[in-house]
Amino acid sequence: MNRFTGTIASLLALAPAAASAAEPVCLSHDEATSLLAYALPQAISGVAKRCAPALPADAFLRQKGNALVSRYVVQKDKYWPTAKPAFLKTLGGDGGDMAQMTRTLPDETLRQLADTFVEGYVSQQIAPKSCKKLDIAIDLLSPLPPENTAGLIALTMEVASTAEPKMGKFALCKN
């Protein structure tokens, strides 16, 4: 579960600048949940693409991964209004070049950027030896609607952020 949580936490690092930040980006539970719910289809797709060669033919991601992605994609629009400011927050509140450029992009372009980055970033971060455990975790979470899956992941991140040693570069804020 730590690898899965770490991978999902990495998902929140939606920009290289944010991933290398010295101080963690502070997201509220609601911001993290919305951002995760929005990004779950691309994250699952990235995991499925990376893991397909490492998984048996009867693995959940190989058999039902596309159906889960399709089910989650249908609901993405409702999460974007809250996910967008959280996404922009991960780019850095310092007004750096990346943050400034991204804030001026048309909404649809920003969504495409986020979607492409999430899928590519997640697929690059997965160690093939983790694929079987990720397949099991996604299978276990698959009956849940995206907001519940995202809420559970955000809660896990919140608990992990208080652990020693720290996991990832993000912390959830107290509301």
Side-chain angles (χ1 to χ4, degrees):
M1 188 63 162
N2 282 346
R3 182 73 177 161
F4 180 67
T5 303
T7 300
I8 297 300
S10 295
L11 160 66
L12 290 176
L14 295 176
S20 64
E23 288 296 316
V25 173
C26 186
L27 297 175
S28 71
H29 182 82
D30 289 342
E31 288 172 324
T33 300
S34 291
L35 185 56
L36 286 163
Y38 176 81
L40 275 171
Q42 277 61 49
I44 293 166
S45 181
V47 172
K49 285 178 182 174
R50 174 68 171 190
C51 290
L55 293 172
D58 64 345
F60 176 83
L61 285 170
R62 293 189 70 185
Q63 293 291 314
K64 299 178 183 174
N66 287 339
L68 179 61
V69 168
S70 295
R71 195 180 95 213
Y72 278 15
V73 161
V74 171
Q75 300 185 44
K76 281 180 63 160
D77 288 346
K78 78 177 185 180
Y79 302 116
W80 181 246
T82 310
K84 179 182 177 180
F87 173 66
L88 291 170
K89 197 177 198 182
T90 66
L91 296 177
D94 60 1
D97 292 341
M98 175 71 140
Q100 288 300 102
M101 180 200 68
T102 328
R103 282 178 174 74
T104 63
L105 291 173
D107 210 48
E108 192 55 37
T109 303
L110 184 59
R111 285 180 69 161
Q112 289 174 359
L113 174 71
D115 291 352
T116 301
F117 184 84
V118 167
E119 187 170 320
Y121 186 81
V122 168
S123 69
Q124 290 177 12
Q125 297 303 308
I126 303 295
K129 67 182 180 184
S130 301
C131 288
K132 288 182 183 177
K133 289 184 180 181
L134 288 169
D135 183 67
I136 292 167
I138 293 169
D139 185 10
L140 290 169
L141 294 169
S142 68
L144 298 175
E147 61 271 9
N148 289 51
T149 301
L152 183 59
I153 294 166
L155 178 63
T156 302
M157 289 171 55
E158 193 171 356
V159 170
S161 71
T162 62
E164 291 296 333
K166 298 287 184 212
M167 284 183 49
K169 298 251 182 207
F170 291 89
L172 293 183
C173 311
K174 303 262 188 244
N175 285 344

